Amino acid sequence: MATPASQADITLAIAFDAPTDATHARDLALNLGLPLLGLLADQQQPCPYQALLLVAGRQLAVQLTGKGAPGPLRVDFGSGAMRHRRKSGANELLGRAMGIGKKTQLRVLDGTAGLGRDAFVLADLGARVTLCERSAVVAHLLRSGIEAAVGSDDDWLSSVAQRMELRAGETCELSLLPGQFDVVYLDPMFPPRDKRAAVKKDMAVFQRLLGASASGAAAAELLGWALAQDVARVVVKRPVRAPALGERPVSHCIRGKTVRYDVYVLRSLTA
Ligand SMILES: C[S@@+](CC[C@H](N)C(=O)[O-])C[C@H]1O[C@@H](n2cnc3c(N)ncnc32)[C@H](O)[C@@H]1O
């Protein structure tokens, strides 16, 4: 079951860019149980909702309303930031933690898909990634981003996105077949809600969208579920100085400047 949009920390409604988007917007409003406002250009100011889910063609975006609101949050795998991340070398740590290269076309379950950035990196490194996301709104954003990338003219972008498959809902409710995946990847991590910290604006919007659904206990439970699956390893992304999740000792860690990947080896990846 996906987490309903009503659990967000913000009041949310749907608006659309052009009259041709009306049907898609209405279907989405019914699906998510959100109010449908109508054309974006017709909306009254100030907007009575704190954020709008904007429909523009097949692309979705979340836009906070009000003065000084940051730009829209959308899933754009072809963005400069994603292309930069591809070249920056930071992906090597994630790839090493996951065991990329130890097996051809690693099959990964990303149990905390979010905006799909890590999953895209893994798909770009050659893995086949199934992404599971429990927030219904986030899952819709992600689906629109994957579909846009698959349909892109950019062959690289399209071929990477074709290695990504989304399932909306709670990861712990998945029934995995024995050996279906090689690695379960979990990133339950959030930047601190500390106003002094420079939490990136898009991540701040993302956190408000998810509301209070994230907790340490829930993350430890998710790790327990992952460790009980028939996979070769489980990898958990953590802030570099944070304690490990759960009780089980970590097999080894791959450390970056700000994040750490805790690797739980259950069996050999090459077996
Ligand atoms: C920190 S974000 C992950 C960011 C992601 N790694 C990325 O690169 O964009 C965590 C996400 O996991 C989702 N999530 C947390 N626990 C989950 C669970 N048990 N089942 C499915 N999704 C979950 C949250 O809704 C949130 O969107």
Side-chain angles (χ1 to χ4, degrees):
M1 265 269 291
T3 314
S6 54
Q7 285 192 12
D9 256 0
I10 33 180
T11 55
L12 199 58
I14 295 184
F16 49 91
D17 219 31
T20 46
D21 299 322
T23 308
H24 181 197
R26 194 196 55 221
D27 292 349
L28 203 59
L30 281 173
N31 189 293
L32 290 170
L34 289 176
L36 178 63
L37 294 186
L39 270 174
L40 181 61
D42 294 344
Q43 297 316 305
Q44 63 187 74
Q45 297 297 339
C47 177
Y49 294 89
Q50 290 166 308
L52 296 175
L53 181 57
L54 297 176
V55 179
R58 298 313 297 177
Q59 267 285 4
L60 299 182
V62 172
Q63 173 69 63
L64 291 184
T65 58
K67 261 195 170 165
L73 172 72
R74 59 167 65 91
V75 175
D76 179 4
F77 295 120
S79 68
M82 285 306 291
R83 286 172 197 272
H84 174 74
R85 185 173 165 182
R86 185 185 187 213
K87 292 189 197 127
S88 69
N91 302 339
E92 286 169 22
L93 299 181
L94 175 59
R96 258 171 54 208
M98 300 294 286
I100 295 276
K102 284 187 187 287
K103 187 173 174 181
T104 0
Q105 207 159 75
L106 208 66
R107 293 154 311 159
V108 173
L109 171 66
D110 179 346
T112 52
L115 301 174
R117 296 169 183 184
D118 290 331
F120 183 80
V121 164
L122 291 169
D124 186 32
L125 291 171
R128 277 208 160 270
V129 189
T130 298
L131 302 85
C132 194
E133 173 51 53
R134 72 177 169 198
S135 154
V137 176
V138 174
H140 275 284
L141 280 179
L142 188 49
R143 191 176 300 286
S144 79
I146 295 173
E147 285 175 0
V150 167
S152 150
D153 295 339
D154 180 332
D155 290 344
W156 161 73
L157 191 58
S158 174
S159 63
V160 174
Q162 283 173 44
R163 289 195 285 277
M164 299 166 75
E165 188 200 340
L166 176 64
R167 298 205 191 163
E170 166 59 55
T171 297
C172 297
E173 289 173 8
L174 292 176
S175 302
L176 305 191
L177 299 172
Q180 186 180 355
F181 294 102
D182 300 302
V183 186
V184 176
Y185 174 67
L186 302 175
D187 168 17
M189 184 178 90
F190 283 95
R193 279 176 187 254
D194 183 348
K195 290 212 173 66
R196 289 165 302 173
V199 175
K200 284 188 188 154
K201 284 184 178 169
D202 57 349
M203 289 317 281
V205 177
F206 182 50
Q207 285 180 3
R208 290 183 66 188
L209 210 51
L210 294 177
S213 62
S215 80
E221 195 181 314
L222 183 57
L223 172 62
W225 175 88
L227 290 169
Q229 304 307 309
D230 179 24
V231 292
R233 59 174 74 181
V234 175
V235 176
V236 183
K237 187 178 186 178
R238 301 287 292 151
V240 74
R241 289 185 217 292
L245 273 185
E247 306 283 301
R248 185 184 172 116
V250 173
S251 309
H252 62 270
C253 298
I254 308 278
R255 285 173 197 280
K257 278 194 200 133
T258 55
V259 300
R260 186 184 82 224
Y261 298 101
D262 288 350
V263 184
Y264 300 83
V265 175
L266 307 181
R267 59 177 151 78
S268 164
L269 258 176
T270 46

